[in-house]
C-alpha cells in the first residue's frame, strides 16, 4: 500500500539551528496517523514543511506515490492537503464566517454569496458542539481560546480534501468538544481521508489512531501500528527516543 | 430547592429570531455604547467643526459655500479613497500626491500639446496610474523593499517626471470644456433630482432584496421597519442636499445663474459605491482585509498575497490619477506643483481621521470620504476666517486636533465600555 | 477684454460722489506664500493694511502658502464672504485665470498684483518687472567681478525654486546679461542648479557640492538673499567670503548686513511700499465703484491685449546705497545696525 | 543492533562552552546566511552607492568631500536618531522636521534678538523640544488620537509657530561663533587623535570587562581573540577616517588651513553611544522594545505604557531640537523653511532604510546613522553630478531605490534561508 | 478562614454581550483551586478581570479580606497576583530572558544586569525540564508552542507573589513537562501561595487541586472541595451547570 502522503529524508535548518534531520513520515488513506514527540521535537516544523510554509533544505515530499514540490500553501491546498496549524492563523479583523471561507469564498457571479456561506458555516460549527458562540458574525478576536480553535478546525474540514493534518487540535477544548473532535477525526478517516493528528494526550492518541510516528529531537524515532505498542512504550519513545527494540539506533531509524 | 429552572439562553436565541425594529434600534444603541461606533465619531467631529465655523462666520452656511465644499475637497478625497486600499494592507504610498501630478501632467500634455480628445487624454492619465501602481506594487511585493522607501523614492522621481512633462516649470493650461466642467460646472437641477430618485430607489431595492433572500434561507434578516427607517433617513438627507444645491447661489443672478449639484458629487458617489462594493462584497476585497489583518494567515489560506498587494497599489495610483484629473480640472491648468505640497499628507490624514488604521486591516472607503470632508471643511472654514499666514497654520493645526480629539474621546469612551 | 465686465458692478453710484455716501465694497487680497520671501507677510500685508485702513474700506488678506488648491479655495471663500474686489498674486497663470474667470462671472473686479496672469484679463496690473530684477542681478555681478578684476571668472548659478515661475523670469533676466559674456569667453559658465522650495538648507548643500566639483568658482549669482547667505556660509568655511562676489534680492536685513560685511556684493531692492500703495489706490477706487485710471499698460503676450498697469522700478543696492533702503523705511536702523554692525553702519553713512 | 549510541546534542552543548574565534566567525557567517544580517545590508547599499558615485565623479573621493558628507548629513541623521524611538513604538512623528525648525527659531531669537549667551539659547531650544514632546506624547498616549493625526496637526501648527518666531518670514542670521562652529568648524587634529584613542580604549575595556564578568559567572562569553578582532577592525576604520579628516583639504592652504574632524562628528558619535546604551542596556530601552513589539504584553507585564510613549516623543523632539541647532549652525541662519521641505521625509526614510520597522519593535539608533549616511551620500553625490532640476529628482529617486533594493535583496536571500 | 482572593458578584459585558453574571469565586492560601468550565464559559474573562485587564461592570474583588481596586495589571502585580494568560502575551521581538524579566528587570545601577538575569532565567527554565531550547537568547517568536508556554509559566513563578493564576498552562505541553508543571503547582501551594489552575483536563484537576469552582455560561455553578465530588459530577457541572444537589438552581448558587 502506498502512503497518500510521505516525506523522505527531510532536513530543515533555521539559520545555524538544524531542526529536522532526515525525517521520514507516512500517512495512509483511511487511517489516522498520530504524530507525537516532546515539546520542540519538530512536529509543527514538519507540518509547516509539508504545508509549503517553510521551504525544505533537503529530502522530498511524495503525494500518492509521486514526488511533489510544495512551495507555497497554495500548492498544498491544490494537492488537497488541509492543515490546522498550532498557531491557528486566523485573521483577527474578520468574523467567523469570513475566516472559515477565507481564500475559497463562495460567489454569486462577481459578488460574494454571504447568505450561503453563513448557512454552511452555521451548520458546520453546530456539528462541533460550540454552544457559547453568540453570533457567527462575531470577530474572531473576541473569541475564547477554545472557540478560536473550533473555528480553525471547522475551517479545515469544510473542504473536499484528501489529507487533513491537525496540529494539537484539542489543546484548548473542553471535555465535550474534545470528544466531538476526536469523533470527527475518526469519521474523516473512515470516509477515506488520510488524517494526521498531533497530540500530547496519549489517551486521545490511543483512542483514535491507527499508526503512531514519534519524533525525537528532530529525528524519526519510530513509525509503528498503534495496536503493536503500549502507552508506556510511546511515552518512552517520546522522552528518550527509544524503547527496547524500537527507536533510534546510531541516530537512524532501523 | 431541587426545582431546576431552564437557564436563559437569550443571546443565542436573539440572534436566531428575526429582530423587530425596536430590537434593532436597541441593538444599535447597545453596539454604540459597546464601542462599535462605526462612522459616528467622524460624523461627530464633523458636526462640531461645522457648528464652530457656522457660529464664527454666517457665510459658512450659505448654499454657495456648501457647493464650494464639494469641489474644494474632491481631489484630496479621491486620492484618499485609493490610499485606503494601500493602508488596509498596512503599507503606505507617499507618492500618491505626485502620482496624481504625473497623471494630470499626462492629461494636460495629451490635451493641450497633442490636441487629443478628452476621453483619450483621460484614458492616458488612468493608464499612467496603472503603470505606476504596477511598478510600485511589484517593488514592494516582489522585491521586498519597504513601501515607505519605495514610495519615498517615487515621491522624488515623480517630481522630476512632472517637471519633465510640463517642460521645466512652465504651466500648461487646460481649455477642454469637458475636462474643465468636471470640477467647475454643475448638473442641471432636473438631472440632480433624477439621480437622487434613482439612487434612493436602487438603495431601497437592494436592501429589500437582501432581507428577502436572507429570511428565505432562514437567516437573521433586518425587519422591514428598520430598512424603511434607513432608506427614509438617506432619502431625507440626500434630498435636502440636492435641494440646497439646486438653489440659486450666484452673487449676481442677473449676470450668471449658478445652480445644481456639482459634477464631482456624482463622480465621488459612484466611486464610493464601486469601491465599497469591491471591498465588502467581493472575494478580492475580503482578501485585502485578510492580508492587512494577518498576512501569514492569508498566505496560509492560499491567497496570492503578492497579487493582492500589487492590485492595491494599482487601485491607489488609479484613484490618484482620477484625483489628478479633478485637480487639473479645478485649476484648469497643470504645473510642477500639481499634487505637491500638502496634497499627500491631507489625503493620508483624511483616511486616518476617518478611522482607517495605518497598521492595516481596518478601514472603509467611506472613512476616506468622511475624513476628506473634515479636511475640506477645515480648509473652507479657515478660508472664511481670514487669518494671517502664521495664525492660519496654528489655528488649522488646532482645529484638526479638535476634530480628531472628539473622535478619539468618543472611541475611548466606547473602549472603556469593554470592546477594544 | 481687460476692462470688460469689471465695471458692471458700478451700478448707479457715480464715481464723483463723496466716499461716505455709499458703503464701499470689500477687498480681498491673496498673497502667494510666506517662505520664498519675507516681503509678502512683513511688507506687503503691512502696507496694504495701512492703505486700506486709511481709506476706511473692509479688507481680507490671506496667504495661499504656495498651494494652488488653497489659493482657489481662498478665492472661493472671499467671494462667499462678499468681496467685490479681488487682488491676487497668482501662483501660476492657470490657477490665476480660473480664479479671475470665476470672479468675473460673479461680478467681482480683479487686480493682478506683482505677477501678471497670462490670458487672465484682470482689470489692472501692478508690479515690479521681474525680468528686470534678474537683469539688475546680472549687471550687479558683472560690476562686482569687474571690481575684483577677475579674469575669465567661473560663474555659478543658484536659481530659485524649479517650480516657481518667477524664478524662471529672474533667470531670464540675468541670463540675458551673462549669456553673451559666456558666449564671448569673457566669463566661464559654472554649475547651474535650482534650489527646491527656495530652501536655504538645501542651497547650502547644493553650493557646497558646486564648490567641491568646481573649486575655482569666482562669482555666484544667487537668486535671493537667503540663497546668497547659504552660499556665503559655505564660502566662509573655506575663507573665500568677500573674495567671491554673491548677489541677492529683496534687501533683507540679512542681505544688507552681508553687504555691509563685504560678503555679499549686491541685492535688489523692490520698494514694496510704492507697489502696495499703488495697488491699494486702485483697489479702493474699485471698491467704491469708481473706475480709476492707470498710468501705463502692459501687453498680455497670450491674448495680445493691453492690461492697464502701474509698473515700478526695482533698484540695485550696493554697499554705498544701503543707506537708501534705510532712508526709505524698508528696514530700520535698529534691526540693521544691531551689535557688531553699528560700526559698519556708521562707515556706510547710515543715519 | 542493540547498541544505542548517545545522540548528538551539539547545539545545546555549543551554547554552553565558551566559543573560540574560529567558532564565532563560523557562527557569524551562519547567522548571516541564516538571515540575521544586522547592519550588513545597509552597509552593502552604502558601498554600492559610493562606488557608483566615485566612478562617475572623481571629486567624490576627495578628503574635502568626505568632510562635507558629515556636515551635510548631520541634521537629518540627528532627527532620524530621535525618530527611531517613536518608530520603535509603532508610532510616527510627522512634525519632527518642523519641530526642529521651531527649536532652531527659538535658538535664533534667543541669540540674535535677545542677545542671550549661546548655552542659554541652546538650553532654550532643547527645552522647547521637551515641551513639544510632552504635548505630542500626551495627546497620543492619554487622549488616544492616532499619532499620524496629532503630528499632522503639529506639522501645520509648527509651521505657523516658526513663522511667528521669525516674524512672518524674515531670515534671522546667527553670528554667535560657538553655534556657527558646530557645523562649520573642525577639531584640531591632535584632539581628533586623542578622542580616537579614548574611544578605542573605552570600547576595548568595556568589551573585555563584559566578557570577564560573564565567564566568571559561567555564562557563554566571547573569546579574547574575537574581541581583539572586533576592536582591531574598529580601530582601523576609525583611524583611517581620522587620518583622512586630518589631511589638509583647503583649496588654498596658504590662505586658510582646513584640517581636522568636523565638530558634528563627535556630537553624533556621543549621541549614538548614549542612545544605544539607553535602548540596549537600560530598563527604559527594554520597555520601548516591549511596547513596540506587543503593547498588550507590555501592559500586562506592568509597564506604564503611557509614560513610555510620552518619553519616546520627548526624546524624538529633543533630538529634533539638536538637529535644528545643527541645521541653524550650518545655515548660519533660520528661516521659515528650516526643518521644512524634505527634512522629515528624509529623516524617516533614513531610519527606515537603515532597517527600522514602521510597525514598531524593530530598529536601532545605528540604523538611523547608516540610513542618514545613505541619504547624505545620495544628496552629496547628486550635487556633484550637476543635473538639471527634473533629472536630479528622477535620478535621486532611482538611486535611493537602488540602495534600498540592494538591502532588500540581501535580506530576502537571508529570509529564504529560513528566518523571517 | 478568609480567602486570599475573592470575587463577589462580578458582572462583565462586552458591548451587548453579557459574559459574566454575578460570579463568586474564592481562592485560599496554601491551596490549589481549580477553575473549570466549558469553552466560552468565561474563565479567561474572569481571570482578566482579576488581573486588571478588563474593567468590571459590577461586583467587587477582595484581597486578604480587604476590598481592592484593580484597574490595571500594575495594580494586580503590586498586590502580588501573578497570572499566566491563556494567550500567553509574550513580546515576540524579545528573547527568552528579556521576556521573563519584562517589567521587573534587574539592574546594576542604571544599567541592566544582563548576566544576572541570564543566570536566573537559565536556572528556572531548566527546572521546568525544557530540554530542546537551543539558547535562552533566542527570540520567543522562534519557539515551539510548548516552549512558549513554558517561558510564560517560568515568567510567572519567578517572583515572590501571593497568588498565582495559571490559565490552561499545560495545554501545549508534553507528557514530562506537564508532570513538571503540575508538581510545580503543588509545590507553590505548599509554600503557602494561593494557586488557581484553569484546565480542561479532569485528571490534572483531580491530581493537584484542593477545591474546584465550576462556571457555566458565565455563572458560578458550584464551589466544592475536590474530595467531595467525583469526576463524573464535575463533568456534569461543566456541561449542564448542575449535578444532583450541586449546581445552579433558579440561576443562583445555593
Ligand atoms: N523560526 C524559527 N527559528 C528558529 N528556531 C525555530 C523556528 N521555529 C521553530 N524553531 C525551533 O525548532 C524546534 C522545533 O519546533 P516545533 O515548533 O516544530 O516543535 P513542536 O514539536 O511542534 O513542539 P510543541 O509540541 O511544543 O509544539 C524548536 O526547538 C524551536 O525552538
Ligand atoms: N473582547 C470580547 N468581546 C466580545 N466577546 C468576548 C470578548 N472576549 C470574550 N468574549 C466572549 O466571552 C465568552 C467567554 O470567553 P472566555 O475567553 O472567558 O472563555 P473561557 O471560559 O476562557 O473559554 P476557553 O476554555 O475556550 O478558553 C465567550 O463567549 C467569548 O466569545
Ligand atoms: Mg508544535
Ligand atoms: Mg479561556
Amino acid at each position: 500500500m502506498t502512503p497518500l502522503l510521505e516525506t523522505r529524508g527531510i532536513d530543515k535548518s533555521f539559520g545555524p539551528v538544524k531542526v529536522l534531520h532526515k525525517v521520514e513520515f507516512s500517512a495512509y488513506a483511511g487511517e489516522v496517523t498520530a504524530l507525537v514527540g516532546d515539546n520542540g521535537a519538530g512536529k509543527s516544523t514538519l507540518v509547516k514543511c509539508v504545508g509549503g510554509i517553510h521551504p525544505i533544505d533537503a529530502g522530498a515530499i511524495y503525494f500518492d506515490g509521486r514526488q511533489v514540490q510544495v512551495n507555497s500553501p497554495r500548492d498544498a491546498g491544490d494537492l488537497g492537503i488541509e492543515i490546522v496549524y498550532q498557531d491557528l492563523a486566523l485573521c483577527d479583523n474578520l468574523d467567523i464566517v469570513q475566516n472559515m471561507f477565507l481564500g475559497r469564498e463562495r460567489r454569486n457571479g462577481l459578488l460574494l454569496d454571504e447568505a450561503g456561506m453563513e448557512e454552511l458555516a452555521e451548520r458546520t460549527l453546530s456539528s462541533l458542539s460550540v454552544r457559547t458562540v453568540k453570533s457567527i458574525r462575531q470577530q474572531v478576536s473576541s473569541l475564547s481560546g477554545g472557540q478560536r480553535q473550533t473555528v480553525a478546525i471547522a475551517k479545515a474540514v469544510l473542504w473536499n480534501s484528501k489529507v487533513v493534518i491537525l496540529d494539537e487540535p484539542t489543546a484548548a477544548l473542553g471535555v465535550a468538544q474534545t470528544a466531538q473532535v476526536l469523533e470527527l477525526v475518526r469519521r474523516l478517516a473512515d470516509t477515506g481521508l488520510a488524517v494526521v493528528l498531533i497530540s500530547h494526550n496519549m489517551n486521545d492518541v490511543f483512542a483514535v489512531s491507527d499508526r503512531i510516528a514519534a519524533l525525537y529531537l528532530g529525528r524519526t524515532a519510530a513509525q509503528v501500528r498503534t495496536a503493536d505498542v503500549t502507552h508506556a512504550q510511546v511515552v518512552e519513545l517520546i522522552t528518550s527516543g527509544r524503547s527496547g527494540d524500537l527507536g533510534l539506533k546510531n541516530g537512524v531509524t532501523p | 430547592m431541587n426545582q431546576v429552572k431552564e437557564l436563559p439562553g437569550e443571546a443565542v436565541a436573539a440572534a436566531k429570531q428575526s429582530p423587530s425594529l425596536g430590537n434593532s434600534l436597541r441593538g444599535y444603541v447597545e453596539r454604540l455604547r459597546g464601542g462599535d461606533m462605526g462612522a459616528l465619531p467622524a460624523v461627530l467631529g464633523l458636526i462640531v467643526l461645522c457648528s464652530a465655523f457656522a457660529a464664527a462666520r454666517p457665510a459658512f452656511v450659505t448654499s454657495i459655500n456648501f457647493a464650494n465644499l464639494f469641489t474644494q475637497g474632491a481631489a484630496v478625497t479621491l486620492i484618499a479613497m485609493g490610499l485606503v486600499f494601500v493602508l488596509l494592507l498596512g503599507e503606505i504610498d507617499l507618492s500618491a500626491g505626485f502620482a496624481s501630478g504625473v497623471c494630470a501632467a499626462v492629461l494636460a500634455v495629451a490635451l493641450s500639446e497633442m490636441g487629443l480628445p478628452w476621453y483619450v487624454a483621460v484614458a492616458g492619465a488612468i493608464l499612467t496610474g496603472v503603470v505606476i501602481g504596477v511598478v510600485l506594487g511589484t517593488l514592494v511585493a516582489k522585491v521586498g523593499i519597504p513601501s515607505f522607501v519605495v514610495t519615498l523614492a517615487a515621491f522624488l522621481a515623480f517630481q522630476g517626471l512632472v517637471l519633465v512633462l510640463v517642460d521645466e516649470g512652465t504651466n500648461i493650461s487646460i481649455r477642454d470644456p469637458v475636462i474643465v466642467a468636471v470640477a467647475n460646472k454643475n448638473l442641471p437641477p432636473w438631472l440632480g433630482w433624477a439621480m437622487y430618485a434613482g439612487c434612493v430607489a436602487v438603495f431601497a431595492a437592494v436592501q429589500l432584496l437582501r432581507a428577502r433572500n436572507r429570511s428565505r434561507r432562514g437567516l437573521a434578516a433586518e425587519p422591514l421597519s428598520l430598512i424603511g427607517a434607513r432608506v427614509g433617513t438617506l432619502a431625507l438627507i440626500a434630498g435636502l442636499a440636492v435641494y440646497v444645491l439646486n438653489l440659486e447661489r450666484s452673487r449676481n443672478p442677473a449676470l450668471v445663474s449658478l445652480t445644481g449639484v456639482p459634477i464631482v458629487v456624482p463622480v465621488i458617489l459612484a466611486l464610493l459605491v464601486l469601491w465599497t462594493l469591491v471591498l465588502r462584497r467581493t472575494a478580492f476585497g475580503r482578501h485585502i482585509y485578510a492580508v492587512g489583518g494577518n498576512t501569514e494567515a492569508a498566505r496560509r489560506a492560499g491567497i496570492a498575497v503578492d497579487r493582492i498587494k500589487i492590485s492595491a497599489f494599482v487601485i491607489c495610483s488609479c484613484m490618484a490619477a482620477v484625483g489628478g484629473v479633478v485637480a487639473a480640472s479645478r485649476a484648469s491648468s497643470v504645473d510642477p506643483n500639481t499634487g505637491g505640497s500638502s496634497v499627500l499628507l491631507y489625503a493620508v490624514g483624511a483616511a486616518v481621521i476617518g478611522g482607517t488604521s495605518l497598521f492595516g486591516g481596518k478601514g472603509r472607503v467611506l472613512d476616506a470620504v468622511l475624513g476628506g470632508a473634515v479636511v475640506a471643511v477645515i480648509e473652507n472654514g479657515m478660508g472664511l476666517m481670514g487669518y494671517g499666514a502664521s495664525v492660519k497654520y496654528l489655528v488649522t493645526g488646532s482645529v484638526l486636533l479638535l476634530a480628531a480629539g472628539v473622535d478619539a474621546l468618543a472611541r475611548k469612551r466606547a473602549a472603556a465600555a469593554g470592546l477594544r | 477684454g481687460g476692462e470688460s465686465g469689471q465695471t458692471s458692478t458700478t451700478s448707479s453710484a457715480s464715481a464723483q460722489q463723496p466716499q461716505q455716501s455709499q458703503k464701499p465694497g470689500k477687498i480681498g487680497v491673496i498673497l502667494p506664500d510666506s517662505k520664498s520671501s519675507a516681503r509678502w507677510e512683513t511688507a506687503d500685508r503691512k502696507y496694504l493694511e495701512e492703505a486700506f485702513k486709511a481709506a476706511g474700506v473692509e479688507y481680507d488678506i490671506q496667504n495661499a502658502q504656495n498651494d494652488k488648491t488653497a489659493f482657489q479655495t481662498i478665492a472661493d471663500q472671499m467671494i462667499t464672504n462678499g468681496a467685490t474686489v479681488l487682488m491676487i498674486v497668482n501662483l501660476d497663470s492657470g490657477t490665476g485665470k480660473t480664479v479671475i474667470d470665476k470672479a468675473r462671472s460673479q461680478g467681482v473686479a480683479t487686480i493682478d498684483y506683482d505677477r501678471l496672469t497670462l490670458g487672465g484679463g484682470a482689470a489692472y496690473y501692478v508690479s515690479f518687472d521681474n525680468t528686470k530684477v534678474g537683469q539688475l542681478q546680472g549687471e550687479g555681478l558683472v560690476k562686482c567681478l569687474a571690481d575684483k578684476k577677475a579674469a575669465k571668472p567661473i560663474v555659478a548659478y543658484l536659481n530659485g525654486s524649479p517650480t516657481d515661475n518667477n524664478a524662471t523670469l529672474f533667470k531670464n533676466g540675468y541670463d540675458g546679461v551673462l549669456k553673451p559674456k559666456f558666449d564671448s569667453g569673457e566669463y566661464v559658465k559654472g554649475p547651474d542648479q535650482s534650489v527646491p522650495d527656495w530652501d536655504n538648507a538645501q542651497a547650502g548643500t547644493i553650493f557646497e557640492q558646486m564648490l567641491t566639483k568646481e573649486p575655482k568658482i569666482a562669482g555666484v549669482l544667487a537668486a535671493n538673499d537667503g540663497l546668497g547667505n547659504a552660499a556665503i556660509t559655505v564660502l566662509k568655511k573655506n575663507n573665500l567670503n568677500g573674495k567671491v562676489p554673491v548677489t541677492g534680492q529683496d534687501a533683507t536685513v540679512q542681505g544688507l548686513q552681508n553687504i555691509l560685511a563685504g560678503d555679499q556684493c549686491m541685492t535688489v531692492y523692490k520698494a514694496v511700499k510704492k507697489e502696495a500703495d499703488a495697488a491699494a489706490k486702485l483697489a479702493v477706487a474699485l471698491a467704491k465703484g469708481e473706475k480709476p485710471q492707470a498710468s501705463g499698460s502692459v501687453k498680455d503676450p497670450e491674448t495680445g491685449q493691453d492690461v492697464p498697469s502701474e509698473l515700478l522700478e526695482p533698484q540695485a543696492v550696493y554697499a554705498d546705497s544701503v543707506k537708501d533702503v534705510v532712508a526709505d523705511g524698508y528696514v530700520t536702523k535698529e534691526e540693521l545696525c544691531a551689535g557688531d554692525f553699528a560700526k559698519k553702519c556708521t562707515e556706510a553713512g547710515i543715519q
Side-chain angles (χ1 to χ4, degrees), chain A, chain B, chain C:
Chain A
M1 189 168 126
T2 37
L4 188 52
L5 177 71
E6 188 179 3
T7 71
R8 292 200 198 146
I10 288 193
D11 278 3
K12 174 70 195 166
S13 301
F14 291 111
V17 183
K18 190 155 185 183
V19 171
L20 296 182
H21 303 254
K22 300 215 177 356
V23 171
E24 314 276 332
F25 174 79
S26 340
Y28 296 85
E31 292 191 353
V32 177
T33 310
L35 179 59
V36 298
D38 218 343
N39 289 135
K43 303 181 295 297
S44 300
T45 305
L46 178 62
V47 168
K48 285 182 182 167
C49 288
V50 170
I53 291 181
H54 292 321
I56 55 180
D57 297 343
I61 298 172
Y62 290 80
F63 190 82
D64 217 358
R66 288 171 301 112
Q67 184 175 345
V68 290
Q69 298 293 330
V70 188
N71 296 320
S72 76
R74 257 188 117 78
D75 293 349
D78 291 346
L79 285 173
I81 302 175
E82 207 52 54
I83 305 180
V84 179
Y85 293 99
Q86 188 174 15
D87 46 0
L88 299 185
L90 300 173
C91 288
D92 270 355
N93 59 332
L94 299 184
D95 67 30
I96 297 179
V97 181
Q98 292 172 342
N99 262 291
M100 282 179 60
F101 285 84
L102 193 61
R104 277 169 294 199
E105 288 79 7
R106 285 192 166 203
R107 299 179 203 195
N108 247 343
L110 272 178
L111 302 188
L112 293 172
D113 175 16
E114 292 284 353
M117 290 195 279
E118 197 168 323
E119 225 176 358
L120 190 53
E122 179 124 31
R123 234 181 302 134
T124 312
L125 270 181
S126 62
S127 81
L128 287 167
S129 78
V130 193
R131 289 160 308 169
T132 48
V133 171
K134 300 297 189 295
S135 150
I136 57 170
R137 283 300 179 182
Q138 206 173 344
Q139 283 202 355
V140 299
S141 62
S142 71
L143 293 182
S144 84
Q147 290 166 342
R148 285 176 72 90
Q149 191 145 38
T150 315
V151 171
I153 295 171
K155 179 181 174 187
V157 301
L158 209 55
W159 313 106
N160 275 330
S161 42
K162 296 185 185 135
V163 179
V164 174
I165 306 180
L166 303 140
D167 194 350
E168 307 195 17
T170 60
L173 295 188
V175 182
Q177 291 80 355
T178 302
Q180 211 81 34
V181 168
L182 291 180
E183 195 184 292
L184 174 76
V185 162
R186 198 58 258 174
R187 206 164 58 231
L188 287 175
D190 292 345
T191 58
L193 272 67
V195 181
V196 179
L197 175 74
I198 299 179
S199 178
H200 288 297
N201 189 319
M202 287 309 124
N203 296 331
D204 294 358
V205 166
F206 276 87
V208 295
S209 73
D210 302 297
R211 288 168 195 270
I212 297 178
L215 282 186
Y216 178 69
L217 288 182
R219 291 175 169 77
T220 315
Q223 293 203 71
V224 293
R225 299 203 64 90
T226 310
D228 301 345
V229 287
T230 65
H231 227 91
Q233 272 181 311
V234 175
V235 172
E236 222 183 321
L237 276 173
I238 292 172
T239 48
S240 63
R242 61 197 160 91
S243 165
D245 260 11
L246 287 170
L248 288 161
K249 279 126 198 156
N250 298 320
V252 291
T253 328
Chain B
M1 263 273 267
N2 255 354
Q3 234 179 323
V4 179
K5 213 185 105 189
E6 197 51 45
L7 272 166
E10 338 89 330
V12 184
K16 291 273 186 271
Q17 94 208 16
S18 255
S20 73
L21 175 60
N23 250 349
S24 298
L25 268 184
R26 197 141 28 81
Y28 178 68
V29 172
E30 288 253 301
R31 268 215 315 287
L32 275 191
R33 292 205 304 142
D36 183 8
M37 312 282 289
L40 202 70
V43 172
L44 259 181
L46 210 48
I47 291 174
V48 169
L49 268 187
C50 288
S51 323
F53 281 127
R57 288 284 178 281
F60 184 79
V61 283
T62 52
S63 75
I64 179 163
N65 198 47
F66 188 55
N68 282 347
L69 250 176
F70 288 102
T71 44
Q72 287 163 2
V76 164
T77 303
L78 287 166
I79 298 175
M81 284 163 80
L83 271 166
V84 166
F85 284 78
V86 170
L87 296 179
L88 273 177
L89 296 179
E91 307 283 350
I92 194 155
D93 185 356
L94 297 179
S95 69
F98 278 115
S100 81
V102 170
C103 298
V106 168
L107 177 90
V109 169
L111 281 179
S112 304
E113 297 190 357
M114 302 162 67
L116 297 172
W118 68 268
Y119 43 88
V120 178
V122 170
I126 306 246
L127 195 70
T128 311
V130 172
V131 172
I132 290 174
V134 169
V135 171
L136 295 180
T138 307
L139 286 170
V140 171
K142 300 281 185 190
V143 184
I145 313 176
S147 57
F148 190 94
V149 179
V150 169
T151 57
L152 175 58
F155 170 88
L156 295 169
F158 292 167
Q159 281 186 63
L161 211 52
V162 180
L163 275 174
V164 171
L165 286 168
V166 302
D167 252 345
E168 301 283 344
T170 50
N171 75 72
I172 309 180
S173 289
I174 292 179
R175 305 191 192 278
D176 183 280
V178 178
I179 297 294
V180 171
V182 173
N184 294 306
K185 293 278 183 285
N186 308 298
L187 298 178
W190 65 265
L191 191 55
W193 284 119
M195 281 193 175
Y196 164 75
C199 285
V200 172
V202 169
F203 181 70
V206 168
Q207 295 267 321
L208 283 175
L209 280 178
R210 244 184 79 211
R212 259 255 306 277
N213 181 17
R214 286 183 65 92
S215 62
R216 189 141 38 83
R217 283 171 185 262
L219 297 168
E222 286 163 335
L224 277 186
S225 47
L226 180 67
I227 293 178
R230 193 183 294 148
V231 172
T233 316
L234 175 86
L236 192 75
I237 295 181
L240 210 71
V242 174
Y243 172 75
V244 171
L245 288 172
N246 278 349
L247 290 178
E248 177 60 63
R249 57 178 181 269
S250 173
R251 310 209 71 242
N252 211 333
L255 207 68
V256 57
S257 165
L258 211 62
T259 61
V261 178
I263 294 179
V264 287
V265 174
V267 172
I268 291 181
L269 277 186
L271 286 166
L272 172 64
V273 171
L274 170 70
W275 293 128
T276 302
L277 264 184
V278 166
L279 272 184
R280 293 274 154 190
R281 299 264 170 265
T282 68
F284 172 72
R286 184 67 40 88
H287 295 176
I288 294 247
Y289 280 101
V291 172
N294 186 341
T295 310
E296 185 55 23
R299 198 168 76 95
R300 291 189 190 174
I303 294 173
V305 173
D306 290 359
R307 242 180 16 224
I308 297 285
K309 284 196 177 168
I310 295 175
S311 317
F313 274 96
V314 169
I315 292 175
C316 181
S317 301
C318 278
M319 288 302 290
V322 175
V325 171
V326 170
S329 158
R330 179 160 146 72
S332 302
S333 74
V334 172
D335 71 274
N337 266 323
T338 305
S341 36
S342 45
V343 169
L344 173 82
L345 283 181
Y346 281 169
V348 180
V352 175
I353 293 166
T356 303
S357 162
L358 286 175
F359 293 99
K362 191 170 148 283
R364 295 168 309 168
V365 181
L366 181 63
D367 291 344
V369 176
L370 287 173
V374 170
V375 171
V377 166
I378 293 180
E379 249 202 323
N380 178 299
M382 290 307 297
L384 291 176
M385 304 300 284
Y387 291 128
S390 56
V391 180
K392 186 167 172 183
Y393 273 127
L394 280 168
V395 178
T396 308
S398 320
V399 167
L400 177 56
L401 212 53
L402 176 80
V406 170
D407 173 312
L409 289 175
R411 275 180 222 280
K412 198 160 176 137
R413 236 189 71 83
L419 284 179
R420 47 180 55 247
Chain C
E3 289 142 69
S4 68
Q6 287 353 317
T7 45
S8 59
T9 47
T10 311
S11 68
S12 58
S14 80
Q16 295 87 298
Q17 272 188 334
Q19 298 177 7
Q20 274 72 25
S21 67
Q22 189 204 11
K23 188 173 161 23
K26 193 169 169 182
I27 301 169
V29 182
I30 311 181
L31 302 175
D33 68 315
S34 57
K35 296 188 176 173
S36 72
S37 161
R39 63 168 280 194
W40 302 115
E41 287 294 318
T42 52
D44 293 83
R45 179 185 285 271
K46 185 172 79 185
Y47 296 137
L48 287 172
E49 277 178 354
E50 283 169 3
F52 292 147
K53 275 194 190 126
V57 291
E58 267 191 272
Y59 62 90
D60 179 2
I61 305 178
Q62 296 200 41
N63 193 314
Q65 298 303 353
N66 203 25
D67 184 337
K68 284 196 324 182
T69 329
F71 185 86
Q72 284 186 281
T73 302
I74 292 171
D76 285 348
Q77 298 313 83
M78 284 178 167
I79 296 172
T80 305
N81 249 349
T84 54
V85 181
L86 202 55
M87 185 157 131
I88 62 167
V89 188
N90 72 42
L91 290 173
D92 67 74
S93 290
T95 359
K97 182 176 168 358
T98 321
V99 165
I100 291 175
D101 287 348
K102 191 158 184 179
R104 188 168 36 212
S105 75
Q106 309 240 351
V108 174
T110 51
I111 300 175
D112 267 339
Y113 183 58
D114 204 63
R115 300 174 188 168
L116 180 64
T117 303
L118 302 181
Y124 296 96
Y125 172 48
V126 181
S127 180
F128 288 102
D129 186 342
N130 281 326
T131 315
K132 182 72 191 291
V133 171
Q135 208 177 324
L136 288 177
Q137 288 173 323
E139 285 162 1
L141 190 66
V142 169
K143 174 170 176 296
C144 300
L145 285 170
D147 289 350
K148 293 266 184 303
K149 303 198 174 51
K152 276 188 161 287
I154 301 178
V155 174
Y157 279 6
L158 212 47
N159 308 315
S161 174
T163 57
D164 183 344
N165 190 44
N166 276 11
T168 316
L169 296 179
F170 299 144
K171 189 172 182 199
N172 289 345
Y174 48 74
D175 244 1
V177 178
L178 295 175
K179 187 135 185 310
K181 301 219 177 244
F182 296 141
D183 292 343
S184 72
E186 194 180 336
Y187 290 1
V188 179
K189 174 134 199 216
D192 170 357
Q193 294 210 24
S194 304
V195 179
D197 302 335
W198 298 88
D199 181 356
N200 298 340
Q202 288 187 58
T205 301
I206 289 172
F207 184 70
E208 192 157 66
Q209 292 311 97
M210 286 180 174
L211 199 61
T212 305
K213 190 176 157 214
E214 194 59 77
K216 299 222 156 47
I217 287 173
V220 183
L221 203 138
N224 74 4
D225 284 349
L227 303 186
N229 187 58
I232 289 168
T233 306
V234 173
L235 288 172
K236 268 187 189 156
K237 199 161 147 184
N238 291 281
N239 239 1
L240 290 169
N241 55 320
K243 302 180 183 70
V244 176
V246 178
T247 64
Q249 179 187 180
D250 292 339
T252 60
V253 173
Q254 184 179 56
L256 294 174
Q257 285 180 339
N258 281 337
I259 291 178
L260 290 178
D263 295 336
Q264 185 171 330
C265 127
M266 63 87 67
T267 187
V268 176
Y269 169 51
K270 297 183 284 192
V272 176
K273 185 163 177 15
K274 285 186 196 141
E275 187 186 15
D277 287 346
K281 218 172 100 203
L282 291 173
V284 169
L286 283 172
K288 289 180 178 160
E290 298 163 13
K291 186 161 183 294
Q293 210 60 46
S295 62
S297 74
V298 158
K299 194 183 271 305
D300 182 332
E302 237 173 67
T303 58
Q305 282 167 331
D306 282 332
V307 182
S309 309
E310 298 279 355
L311 285 184
L312 300 126
E313 283 289 309
Q315 180 190 341
V317 175
Y318 299 87
D320 52 6
S321 45
V322 170
K323 56 178 184 293
D324 299 349
V325 183
V326 180
D328 225 16
Y330 187 67
V331 298
T332 64
K333 185 167 177 247
E334 290 74 55
E335 334 173 66
L336 183 61
C337 305
D340 299 345
F341 288 93
K343 207 167 109 251
K344 298 226 169 68
C345 278
T346 329
E347 283 167 14
I350 294 162
Q351 310 306 324

